[in-house]
Amino acid sequence: RRSPAEEAAAFNARAPVGTRVRYWRGVRQGPPSGEGTVRHPATVMSDHASVWITGCVGSISLSHVEVVS
């Protein structure tokens, strides 16, 4: 398993600021909570990697985000 820092670096390499993403506020199942664009690179928050998305208050854990292709 990768460290949170490695997860953030990998996400930032494939989804730079401006990339369109879907996100889930709770459990990642069913339809997403919304879509937006990455507005700040992913960083480590405590023990997990998170990213900031337009239209969201606060950050979203990377495990709850998927890049729109």
Side-chain angles (χ1 to χ4, degrees):
R1 180 164 164 94
R2 294 190 291 192
S3 73
E6 291 168 329
E7 289 178 14
F11 181 86
N12 292 335
R14 78 175 183 279
V17 170
T19 301
R20 192 107 183 120
V21 294
R22 292 183 188 97
Y23 61 90
W24 288 258
R25 281 279 181 201
V27 177
R28 187 178 168 169
Q29 62 186 26
S33 302
E35 285 191 20
T37 56
V38 175
R39 67 180 168 102
H40 188 277
T43 59
V44 176
M45 302 283 293
S46 185
D47 63 347
H48 65 280
S50 295
V51 67
W52 285 262
I53 300 168
T54 57
C56 289
V57 175
S59 62
I60 304 285
S61 174
L62 292 185
S63 63
H64 293 230
V65 176
E66 93 180 356
V67 174
V68 175
S69 43

